[in-house]
Amino acid sequence: MKIAMWSGPRNLSTAMMYSFAARRDFVVWDEPFYAPYLKYSGEVHPMQNEILARHLDDPSKVAERCNALGNDNATHVYMKHMPHHMLDNFPMNWAKNCVNVHLIRHPARVLASYSEKRERITDEGIGFHAQQRVFENLGGVVIDSDDIRRDPKKALESLCAEIGLQFTPEMLSWTAGPKSYDGVWAKHWYNAVHRSTGFAPAETQLPVVNEKHEKLYKPAKEVFDFLKSRALKVS
């Protein structure tokens, strides 16, 4: 099985990657198209030069590798993708050979978390509209990160059943610290998850949206509601 997990930033995506990497039958790839996105989008991100120096930045070659991974059927593959990394001219045919899963989080929480790491926040940068475009193009399974944090075992059992994969208890925990498969950007973004050994507890009430983020929040909330209405019912 080859899973493409689509998620915007600050959305439990790294913890989910660690969860699947904890299985003995999976290999993982952290944000394959991040370097190509930085090379061709004009965006400037933390650690940009190091990311471009250390990671494959040709989108066609990245797509070729996405296609090739797992073809020997020796193991399963999990790829953590950000939908806004997929610029209009980037290859997408490789994703049609994947089980596509869409991880969502309420935009009030995304904005509060993302603003702690970056001062400049854009609609494309938080990824909601890009995620809707990917979902409408590829379809797939939607799962809410709130459901995972509320009951990781039940949520992961439901997800695995939906995609035809056997759940294993290994998915519920991992060792603390950096991982060999982390992207080089982990030093900036993954501080909290590096301190973890499992999924964080359920989140409390929604944060108040900063007034300066209102123009981003309202359209993002519309996309969230669209995807939430199609989300997997965790039972």
Side-chain angles (χ1 to χ4, degrees):
M1 177 177 293
K2 189 182 300 187
I3 297 173
M5 176 67 78
W6 300 95
S7 166
R10 318 309 292 167
N11 195 5
L12 205 70
S13 58
T14 305
M16 284 291 282
M17 179 175 69
Y18 287 6
S19 170
F20 277 84
R23 298 177 58 122
R24 299 175 187 178
D25 56 349
F26 265 86
V27 295
V28 302
W29 193 3
D30 190 8
E31 297 184 31
F33 285 92
Y34 193 6
Y37 168 76
L38 292 179
K39 183 176 181 179
Y40 292 103
S41 68
E43 288 289 322
V44 178
H45 280 208
M47 301 184 64
Q48 178 132 343
N49 291 338
E50 193 170 355
I51 293 168
L52 291 172
R54 296 274 298 275
H55 289 272
L56 188 62
D57 63 9
D58 182 327
S60 295
K61 291 182 179 178
V62 173
E64 288 174 7
R65 187 177 173 200
C66 288
N67 264 326
L69 282 174
N71 287 349
D72 58 3
N73 295 317
T75 189
H76 300 304
V77 176
Y78 180 100
M79 295 179 285
K80 172 191 168 192
H81 290 287
M82 297 266 173
H84 62 285
H85 289 173
M86 306 309 300
L87 300 180
D88 287 344
N89 59 339
F90 282 9
M92 282 289 288
N93 283 342
W94 57 269
K96 295 177 181 178
N97 299 321
C98 298
V99 174
N100 290 282
V101 182
H102 306 269
L103 180 66
I104 60 173
R105 188 187 189 196
H106 197 287
R109 301 192 192 281
V110 171
L111 286 164
S113 180
Y114 196 67
S115 62
E116 293 177 1
K117 291 290 186 178
R118 294 205 73 192
E119 183 174 345
R120 179 176 178 268
I121 306 177
T122 65
D123 176 76
E124 279 299 295
I126 56 175
F128 282 89
H129 287 92
Q131 188 161 22
Q132 182 172 359
R133 291 194 298 270
V134 171
F135 176 78
E136 290 176 341
N137 181 28
L138 298 172
V141 180
V142 180
I143 188 164
D144 191 334
S145 62
D146 277 354
D147 290 333
I148 298 170
R149 289 183 62 160
R150 189 177 301 111
D151 192 332
K153 183 174 184 291
K154 183 180 291 186
L156 291 174
E157 285 177 339
S158 296
L159 175 60
C160 288
E162 182 70 18
I163 64 176
L165 180 71
Q166 184 176 355
F167 167 80
T168 71
E170 298 166 313
M171 300 178 73
L172 299 176
S173 63
W174 49 84
T175 57
K179 309 293 184 285
S180 60
Y181 48 82
D182 285 341
V184 70
W185 49 84
K187 289 181 285 186
H188 179 82
W189 294 102
Y190 295 177
N191 312 75
V193 74
H194 283 169
R195 294 192 295 270
S196 73
T197 57
F199 290 99
E203 296 184 287
T204 55
Q205 66 186 40
L206 289 174
V208 175
V209 177
N210 190 305
E211 185 177 346
K212 67 181 181 180
H213 296 150
E214 277 291 340
K215 289 184 179 180
L216 294 170
Y217 172 74
K218 290 180 180 178
K221 178 64 162 52
E222 290 179 3
V223 175
F224 174 80
D225 289 342
F226 166 81
L227 293 170
K228 177 68 174 177
S229 68
R230 292 154 175 80
L232 181 66
K233 306 300 181 187
V234 173
S235 57

